[in-house]
Amino acid sequence: MSVDSISSPADALTSEIVPAELLETIAEAAPALDRGDRQVAEFLPELGRAGLLDLGVPGTDGQSARGTLLDQAAVIETIARHSLSLAFSIWGQRMAIEYLATTGGSFAGAHLDGLRCGETVGVSGMAPAFKASAGAGELGLEVGSDGTGLALRGKLAWASNLYPDAVIVSAAYGSPADAIGSTDRRSGPKSIVAFSLSEDGVTAGPELDLLALKGTASTSVGVDIADLASAQVIGEDFSGLLARWRPVAAVLQSSFCLGLAAAAHAGAEAGLRGINEVFTDDVVREGQALVDAKSGLVDIIGRIGTAERPEPREVLSLRLEAGRLATAASALEIRTAGGRGYAVGSHSNRRFREATFIPVQSPSEPQLRWELGRLG
């Protein structure tokens, strides 16, 4: 699809690739996912069978990728129009696949097929890594020898998709060659690590009563693995891998922001009747901003992995604007919905609550603004 193909806020990023029957099922389940009565993991196998979890990721043994990164963005954007919970979960699954497919090795070989088909749940625990690489935070994990073997210790303050046997990819201070705690945390080596939630020494924190996205199995993770296999240190080129992964993570995050924004914008448009017509200019303005952001997303995705790769400022600016659009459009929808929007069970109310997650989801709005300020 070309940038010129997007002319209205409702336009899809690519031709429809999510089966209509599956999309209808997701839409019906959205309120239950929001309440936590159902869990996003229920839908991953069906999405996997439809080939919607690993679009644009090269296959094993050098096989060509099925579909493109833009196709994956379109899947996430489309599903986010109906359920941000599930779109967010797909993002985490897709990124876990990306990490393991990039680094390879025996751990990836043991888990990638299950992740691609949705039978194994994937967790992106890389938020601390992206934050630390920007100088905005610290890693919560540390890896190294403890005198008897390779150990991984620490805590992830927040992660999602934390279902039994889920595979988590994150980052840690240290390396297998060093004793744990022996290197300078800031200037010393940092490694990419992978482990399963079911491993001895890994514990999920207490269930959280979230404002929205209760069906995403989100909480903290405590880690005290005393016998980490060397194959579970899947990468030691910390800076190089993050530079490769961050644009992918950001554009797919932008996709679920824009999907939520598109649904909320449609709801706001539908409410422009009677006295609500005073919001017409606001709805039109945000609609044009949504068209511009979708066009920018298509353009940036088209340049990832090419000689004309997008600059960090472009990627971060897109992610910030996509998040702003989600919150702005949902706020307009609530205003035009009136009393109906105040009812917790309404779609407009659910979207409004879903949108409150966007400014705090990593990278948070403060982090994005801080990074952009540093880039000048």
Side-chain angles (χ1 to χ4, degrees), residues 191-252:
S191 302
I192 309 299
V193 295
F195 54 96
S196 297
L197 189 59
S198 59
E199 287 186 49
D200 290 342
V202 182
T203 55
E207 181 180 353
L208 302 177
D209 187 13
L210 304 175
L211 181 63
L213 284 74
K214 292 183 181 179
T216 60
S218 300
T219 186
S220 59
V221 182
V223 183
D224 189 3
I225 303 175
D227 55 351
L228 190 78
S230 60
Q232 290 180 257
V233 179
I234 63 172
E236 296 184 61
D237 180 14
F238 179 79
S239 297
L241 288 170
L242 263 63
R244 176 172 177 172
W245 291 336
R246 196 175 193 195
V248 177
V251 296
L252 295 182

Side-chain angles (χ1 to χ4, degrees), residues 100 107 110-111 115 120-123 152 161-170 193-204 221-225 228-229 232:
L100 291 176
F107 186 90
H111 294 285
L115 289 164
T120 301
V121 179
V123 178
L152 179 66
N161 281 3
L162 294 173
Y163 298 99
D165 299 323
V167 171
I168 303 170
V169 181
S170 191
V193 295
F195 54 96
S196 297
L197 189 59
S198 59
E199 287 186 49
D200 290 342
V202 182
T203 55
V221 182
V223 183
D224 189 3
I225 303 175
L228 190 78
Q232 290 180 257

Side-chain angles (χ1 to χ4, degrees), residues 66-131:
R66 292 185 310 99
T68 66
L69 181 59
L70 181 57
D71 290 329
Q72 188 68 73
V75 168
I76 292 173
E77 193 270 350
T78 298
I79 290 175
R81 299 186 189 211
H82 303 282
S83 171
L84 184 65
S85 294
L86 186 53
F88 175 56
S89 174
I90 296 168
W91 170 81
Q93 184 84 8
R94 173 58 171 73
M95 290 312 303
I97 294 169
E98 180 88 14
Y99 304 145
L100 291 176
T102 301
T103 55
S106 60
F107 186 90
H111 294 285
L112 265 175
D113 286 347
L115 289 164
R116 288 177 184 273
C117 71
E119 297 296 337
T120 301
V121 179
V123 178
S124 175
M126 292 295 293
F130 293 132
K131 196 170 184 178

Side-chain angles (χ1 to χ4, degrees), residues 131 134-136 246 316 319-320 323-324 356-374:
K131 196 170 184 178
R246 196 175 193 195
L316 296 178
R319 172 62 180 82
L320 181 64
R324 186 198 71 78
T356 63
F357 171 66
I358 303 299
V360 300
Q361 197 250 330
S362 188
S364 65
E365 181 178 342
Q367 180 183 338
L368 288 165
R369 292 182 178 276
W370 180 82
E371 287 194 59
L372 286 166
R374 289 186 51 154

Side-chain angles (χ1 to χ4, degrees), residues 257-281:
C257 293
L258 295 178
L260 174 58
H265 185 269
E269 274 192 321
L272 292 177
R273 299 185 301 272
I275 60 173
N276 283 343
E277 291 181 1
V278 297
F279 293 112
T280 298
D281 289 347

